[in-house]
Amino acid sequence: MLAADQGSGERESFMFELKNVSRRFGNKLAVDSVTLDIPQGQMVGVIGRSGAGKSTLLRMINRLADPTSGSIHFAGTEVSKLSGRALRGWQRDCAMIFQQFNLVPRLDVLTNVMLGRLNQRSTVMSLLSVFSRQERIEAIAALERLGIEQTALQMAGTLSGGQQQRVAICRALMQQPKMMLADEPIASLDPLNAKIVMDALRDINEREGITVITNLHTLDTARNYCERIVGMAAGRVVFDGKPSDLTASAVKEIYGTDKDGAGVDETMTSTSINIPEPAAQAAAHASAGPQPLALAGP
């Protein structure tokens, strides 16, 4: 059990810390001596070029990869030392959303969402779809929140990329996490779906007070959605501050220049789209026709 679980009134004091964390793959230093303190409830965007170490950093936070050196702490517990049941508890509390969704294509959407409770029950019971009525209600509520409740009984593999990413967010919500990590959540999405996904992450951050750390390629997305931006280059943190502090010189240090010496063109973005509210709402609910939802369960 994490130290944070010992008192229900301590939520606001949760602090996430990376202390001189590095990760080496053979001779390659993918993450180099990263130190960060992130208070509970921040929405943090991690930006940088491909290969800068962003994904490796998130995988270490979730303990999908272990640091070569340094330590990771949450609410007074050194999560980089956890193993067994305690590690599974951390991976429940620190939900992960992947670029490629990581859904089970042959299972229906509702079951995929309920698999977010996998670390709170036996694997056999989850795979046999033995879920309580309350869990089904919570899963449907999550789908309604993301505007895709009509897809509940569809096979996950039949959904569009944007819909699948929203299902992945619903599954993460079912974990009842204290932190949420998103590794390039909009990299494979069109502008409309990218905006819907980022709006959902911001809503979760603001309404639940959950810390959200997301890797992003695009500067406009980081500026528009994140209160804090961390810039990485060659495995190191080279910028850490507010979006307003992200100057042209800071951007150049993060991304470098092209072969002609020009800086990054911030107009080349994935979420720079203005959507009329009715159109956005209709798009959020675009899916198959309504189907009756089976809520029966133990």
Side-chain angles (χ1 to χ4, degrees):
M1 177 182 292
L2 293 176
D5 291 328
Q6 295 173 357
S8 59
E10 300 176 10
R11 181 177 181 86
E12 290 78 9
S13 65
F14 292 176
M15 176 69 74
F16 175 74
E17 302 168 283
L18 293 164
K19 298 183 178 181
N20 204 34
V21 170
S22 297
R23 171 69 188 195
R24 184 180 293 277
F25 295 99
N27 294 326
K28 177 178 173 55
L29 193 57
V31 174
D32 186 2
S33 304
V34 170
T35 295
L36 293 170
D37 293 339
I38 301 177
Q40 177 72 15
Q42 277 196 340
M43 183 154 180
V44 182
V46 184
I47 62 173
R49 301 180 68 165
S50 295
K54 306 186 302 297
S55 292
T56 301
L57 183 67
L58 258 61
R59 290 177 65 84
M60 286 193 292
I61 292 173
N62 187 259
R63 289 294 309 280
L64 293 172
D66 292 328
T68 303
S69 60
S71 59
I72 303 170
H73 302 256
F74 181 76
T77 296
E78 185 173 349
V79 300
S80 47
K81 285 188 174 180
L82 298 179
S83 60
R85 179 179 296 180
L87 175 57
R88 291 192 296 273
W90 169 243
Q91 290 175 330
R92 175 200 65 214
D93 290 340
C94 182
M96 186 86 165
I97 299 165
F98 299 89
Q99 178 181 343
Q100 298 303 325
F101 323 129
N102 283 17
L103 303 179
V104 183
R106 295 185 179 181
L107 292 181
D108 62 61
V109 166
L110 189 63
T111 302
N112 269 280
V113 173
M114 291 188 292
L115 287 176
R117 291 288 164 88
L118 190 65
N119 281 343
Q120 300 180 34
R121 52 170 53 234
S122 73
T123 302
V124 172
M125 287 187 68
S126 291
L127 292 178
L128 291 176
S129 301
V130 181
F131 297 100
S132 70
R133 178 181 177 84
Q134 182 58 36
E135 286 171 327
R136 292 173 183 272
I137 291 172
E138 290 178 21
I140 291 169
L143 291 169
E144 288 176 343
R145 180 173 176 177
L146 271 292
I148 50 172
E149 68 275 13
Q150 298 94 332
T151 69
L153 301 183
Q154 285 184 233
M155 297 299 101
T158 67
L159 302 184
S160 69
Q163 289 174 324
Q164 288 192 55
Q165 192 61 289
R166 281 183 272 169
V167 173
I169 294 173
C170 292
R171 181 183 59 192
L173 280 171
M174 284 292 288
Q175 295 180 218
Q176 300 174 321
K178 296 182 175 71
M179 284 183 61
M180 191 171 288
L181 310 178
D183 188 12
E184 303 286 6
I186 61 173
S188 59
L189 304 183
D190 61 79
L192 174 59
N193 278 300
K195 184 180 187 303
I196 292 170
V197 165
M198 290 305 302
D199 284 348
L201 291 175
R202 180 165 59 186
D203 181 68
I204 291 166
N205 169 253
E206 293 177 349
R207 286 172 56 181
E208 273 78 8
I210 295 174
T211 302
V212 175
I213 306 175
T214 178
N215 289 345
L216 298 165
H217 270 305
T218 54
L219 286 173
D220 77 313
T221 308
R223 290 186 192 276
N224 291 338
Y225 287 93
C226 302
E227 62 186 281
R228 177 178 177 184
I229 296 175
V230 174
M232 294 187 69
R236 300 184 66 88
V237 172
V238 296
F239 175 86
D240 182 7
K242 299 177 181 178
S244 58
D245 297 329
L246 192 61
T247 62
S249 60
V251 170
K252 185 175 180 179
E253 185 173 8
I254 296 166
Y255 288 97
T257 60
D258 62 21
K259 62 182 180 180
D260 298 319
V264 173
D265 180 3
E266 292 196 37
T267 64
M268 301 298 291
T269 61
S270 64
T271 55
S272 54
I273 180 171
N274 294 318
I275 308 169
E277 197 63 30
Q281 187 174 3
H285 288 79
S287 57
Q291 302 181 58
L293 300 179
L295 295 180

